[in-house]
Amino acid sequence: MRKPWIVGLLLAGVLLGACSDPESGPEAAPPPAVGTTHQRAAASPSAPAKAPKVLYLGDSLAMEAQRVLGQELRRDLRADYTSRPYSGTTVCDYLEGTGAKSLVPDGDKAAALVRSLHPDFVVLQFWGNAWGYTWCMDGITHADDPTTYFKRYRADMARLTEQIAAAGGAARPRIVWVAQGPDPITPDRVRRVNELYEQQAAASGDVVADAGARVSAAGARYTWTQYVPCDAYEHEHPVYCTQPGRDRTALHLDKDYLHFCLAPTTSTPKPCPVRSPGILRIAREITRVIGRAAAG
């Protein structure tokens, strides 16, 4: 069995291999053949009266999900949607003032985008970057020093919240922290990071979308699984119930426990090109939480 730090280094290589710039600009509507659910001519009856403006930031998890999330937000909430994910990043990469130590260019920092786009919601989705391959973490890793890792992660979350709030001014956007799914290598780390999201959201009047629960087995929130039983939506739309004879659907590829795209990770970062139930589950939960917050 591989040691956790060896697996981490292998995973770091996969993520760093996808660290070029994301596709630019507000997301165009995806073609119906890729990642779509059923088509509707109008927005959901539960859509808020005012269409929200949504900005989506994050790492490779956001990179692969950006097209499907845009599709769900536009259809269900009529949202004005922009995404700027960068693979291999973590919270500190989106902080202004990091300079050359960041994988995110100055123009795509969270505060800079808030000033230019004036979103109502900023969605932040990260795996947590525990292995030390993001420069702005200054070599701090969960494996070497969990206490310092969590202290730094908490501080970066608070600082990013402050920068987003200051950039928004009187029209401060609401932050949506996306809770992580199970991790077979560091399950307690994921639990602790999700707790930090809850604490930060409560302290600043923001919200958490527990998309991680949608890619977990019932009653086993932090136990990693490659397959889960098909849910009601997947039964209604069988293309997402990938193993109908066994009444279960795939969340991950055999050799990738982190990503939810059912196509192999490539050296060129891009939205997932194939239907992937895990990505749709995540996107639907984020959309649901934003719709509820926008309506309330």
Side-chain angles (χ1 to χ4, degrees):
M1 180 177 179
R2 288 173 176 154
K3 298 292 185 182
W5 67 269
I6 295 176
V7 177
L9 289 176
L10 292 173
L11 179 58
V14 171
L15 293 177
L16 284 175
C19 282
S20 58
D21 289 351
E23 296 185 352
S24 60
E27 291 299 310
V34 177
T36 57
T37 56
H38 64 296
Q39 300 299 308
R40 292 200 292 266
S44 165
S46 61
K50 177 181 178 294
K53 296 183 69 174
V54 180
L55 173 63
Y56 185 38
L57 308 177
D59 59 13
S60 58
L61 296 179
M63 176 65 72
E64 67 181 6
Q66 61 181 310
R67 180 177 294 161
V68 175
L69 178 59
Q71 158 197 300
E72 295 298 309
L73 287 167
R74 289 190 183 99
R75 186 183 55 238
D76 286 359
L77 306 181
R78 305 187 305 273
D80 180 344
Y81 171 75
T82 303
S83 61
R84 290 290 192 279
Y86 284 83
S87 296
T89 57
T90 193
V91 175
C92 57
D93 284 290
Y94 281 94
L95 287 169
E96 290 190 318
T98 50
K101 292 177 65 176
S102 174
L103 295 171
V104 176
D106 288 347
D108 283 346
K109 299 293 192 182
L113 290 171
V114 168
R115 285 191 290 268
S116 63
L117 298 173
H118 310 290
D120 300 302
F121 295 91
V122 178
V123 181
L124 300 172
Q125 183 172 12
F126 300 94
W127 172 70
N129 213 333
W131 302 107
Y133 49 83
T134 296
W135 306 325
C136 64
M137 286 294 287
D138 298 320
I140 297 170
T141 69
H142 176 266
D144 292 336
D145 189 348
T147 300
T148 302
Y149 168 82
F150 290 121
K151 182 178 179 180
R152 173 61 182 275
Y153 204 89
R154 180 194 296 272
D156 287 343
M157 289 172 57
R159 187 177 169 199
L160 187 59
T161 297
E162 291 169 359
Q163 289 190 358
I164 290 172
R172 178 206 191 279
R174 202 163 188 190
I175 296 171
V176 180
W177 296 97
V178 181
Q180 300 174 22
D183 180 344
I185 304 302
T186 57
D188 185 62
R189 180 194 65 83
V190 171
R191 186 193 305 272
R192 292 282 303 278
V193 168
N194 286 346
E195 289 173 356
L196 293 181
Y197 291 158
E198 293 282 359
Q199 292 165 10
Q200 180 61 55
S204 55
D206 295 308
V207 295
V208 173
D210 193 1
R214 299 287 296 116
V215 289
S216 305
R221 174 64 177 82
Y222 290 99
T223 300
W224 185 89
T225 180
Q226 185 176 2
Y227 301 94
V228 290
C230 298
D231 62 17
Y233 185 89
E234 290 154 356
H235 285 139
E236 184 181 350
H237 303 85
V239 292
Y240 290 100
C241 191
T242 57
Q243 296 186 323
R246 304 176 71 176
D247 193 28
R248 69 179 193 177
T249 196
L251 299 177
H252 306 278
L253 293 175
D254 291 345
K255 297 182 179 180
D256 188 343
Y257 70 82
L258 168 62
H259 297 99
F260 295 93
C261 183
L262 297 184
T265 301
T266 67
S267 60
T268 302
K270 59 186 178 181
C272 184
V274 300
R275 288 188 179 94
S276 299
I279 288 177
L280 183 60
R281 285 177 175 224
I282 289 168
R284 285 171 58 81
E285 179 61 16
I286 294 171
T287 299
R288 186 188 70 80
V289 169
I290 290 176
R292 182 181 62 190

mmCIF file of all heavy atoms in Angstrom, residues 53 107 111-119:
data_model
loop_
_atom_site.group_PDB
_atom_site.id
_atom_site.type_symbol
_atom_site.label_atom_id
_atom_site.label_comp_id
_atom_site.label_asym_id
_atom_site.label_seq_id
_atom_site.Cartn_x
_atom_site.Cartn_y
_atom_site.Cartn_z
ATOM 1 N N LYS A 53 -26.355 37.350 -10.079
ATOM 2 C CA LYS A 53 -25.066 37.321 -10.778
ATOM 3 C C LYS A 53 -24.127 36.462 -9.936
ATOM 4 O O LYS A 53 -23.937 36.731 -8.745
ATOM 5 C CB LYS A 53 -24.498 38.730 -10.939
ATOM 6 C CG LYS A 53 -25.342 39.631 -11.809
ATOM 7 C CD LYS A 53 -24.696 41.006 -11.988
ATOM 8 C CE LYS A 53 -23.444 40.930 -12.827
ATOM 9 N NZ LYS A 53 -22.900 42.281 -13.131
ATOM 10 N N GLY A 107 -5.445 39.998 -12.314
ATOM 11 C CA GLY A 107 -6.753 40.364 -12.848
ATOM 12 C C GLY A 107 -7.863 39.391 -12.503
ATOM 13 O O GLY A 107 -9.048 39.737 -12.609
ATOM 14 N N ALA A 111 -11.081 39.652 -5.316
ATOM 15 C CA ALA A 111 -11.485 41.040 -5.115
ATOM 16 C C ALA A 111 -11.515 41.812 -6.427
ATOM 17 O O ALA A 111 -12.414 42.625 -6.666
ATOM 18 C CB ALA A 111 -10.556 41.718 -4.113
ATOM 19 N N ALA A 112 -10.535 41.553 -7.294
ATOM 20 C CA ALA A 112 -10.504 42.244 -8.586
ATOM 21 C C ALA A 112 -11.734 41.901 -9.412
ATOM 22 O O ALA A 112 -12.342 42.782 -10.053
ATOM 23 C CB ALA A 112 -9.229 41.871 -9.339
ATOM 24 N N LEU A 113 -12.129 40.650 -9.405
ATOM 25 C CA LEU A 113 -13.312 40.240 -10.164
ATOM 26 C C LEU A 113 -14.597 40.792 -9.550
ATOM 27 O O LEU A 113 -15.535 41.142 -10.270
ATOM 28 C CB LEU A 113 -13.369 38.717 -10.236
ATOM 29 C CG LEU A 113 -12.294 38.067 -11.119
ATOM 30 C CD1 LEU A 113 -12.313 36.557 -10.946
ATOM 31 C CD2 LEU A 113 -12.490 38.439 -12.584
ATOM 32 N N VAL A 114 -14.640 40.871 -8.226
ATOM 33 C CA VAL A 114 -15.818 41.457 -7.574
ATOM 34 C C VAL A 114 -15.956 42.925 -7.967
ATOM 35 O O VAL A 114 -17.062 43.408 -8.253
ATOM 36 C CB VAL A 114 -15.729 41.293 -6.049
ATOM 37 C CG1 VAL A 114 -16.792 42.143 -5.341
ATOM 38 C CG2 VAL A 114 -15.894 39.828 -5.658
ATOM 39 N N ARG A 115 -14.843 43.649 -8.004
ATOM 40 C CA ARG A 115 -14.897 45.067 -8.389
ATOM 41 C C ARG A 115 -15.350 45.246 -9.834
ATOM 42 O O ARG A 115 -16.056 46.215 -10.151
ATOM 43 C CB ARG A 115 -13.528 45.709 -8.185
ATOM 44 C CG ARG A 115 -13.177 45.987 -6.726
ATOM 45 C CD ARG A 115 -11.934 46.857 -6.591
ATOM 46 N NE ARG A 115 -10.728 46.143 -6.988
ATOM 47 C CZ ARG A 115 -9.958 45.453 -6.162
ATOM 48 N NH1 ARG A 115 -10.280 45.376 -4.866
ATOM 49 N NH2 ARG A 115 -8.879 44.844 -6.593
ATOM 50 N N SER A 116 -14.976 44.336 -10.716
ATOM 51 C CA SER A 116 -15.308 44.511 -12.129
ATOM 52 C C SER A 116 -16.656 43.921 -12.518
ATOM 53 O O SER A 116 -17.333 44.435 -13.412
ATOM 54 C CB SER A 116 -14.211 43.891 -13.002
ATOM 55 O OG SER A 116 -14.130 42.490 -12.796
ATOM 56 N N LEU A 117 -17.059 42.830 -11.835
ATOM 57 C CA LEU A 117 -18.280 42.126 -12.239
ATOM 58 C C LEU A 117 -19.492 42.396 -11.349
ATOM 59 O O LEU A 117 -20.619 42.164 -11.754
ATOM 60 C CB LEU A 117 -18.013 40.614 -12.259
ATOM 61 C CG LEU A 117 -16.949 40.130 -13.246
ATOM 62 C CD1 LEU A 117 -16.670 38.645 -13.042
ATOM 63 C CD2 LEU A 117 -17.374 40.404 -14.682
ATOM 64 N N HIS A 118 -19.270 42.843 -10.104
ATOM 65 C CA HIS A 118 -20.338 43.126 -9.150
ATOM 66 C C HIS A 118 -21.299 41.952 -8.961
ATOM 67 O O HIS A 118 -22.523 42.089 -9.118
ATOM 68 C CB HIS A 118 -21.129 44.368 -9.580
ATOM 69 C CG HIS A 118 -20.264 45.549 -9.900
ATOM 70 N ND1 HIS A 118 -19.565 46.244 -8.933
ATOM 71 C CD2 HIS A 118 -19.949 46.133 -11.091
ATOM 72 C CE1 HIS A 118 -18.866 47.216 -9.505
ATOM 73 N NE2 HIS A 118 -19.080 47.177 -10.812
ATOM 74 N N PRO A 119 -20.774 40.785 -8.627
ATOM 75 C CA PRO A 119 -21.654 39.618 -8.462
ATOM 76 C C PRO A 119 -22.484 39.703 -7.187
ATOM 77 O O PRO A 119 -22.121 40.393 -6.225
ATOM 78 C CB PRO A 119 -20.665 38.460 -8.392
ATOM 79 C CG PRO A 119 -19.444 39.063 -7.768
ATOM 80 C CD PRO A 119 -19.367 40.453 -8.338
#
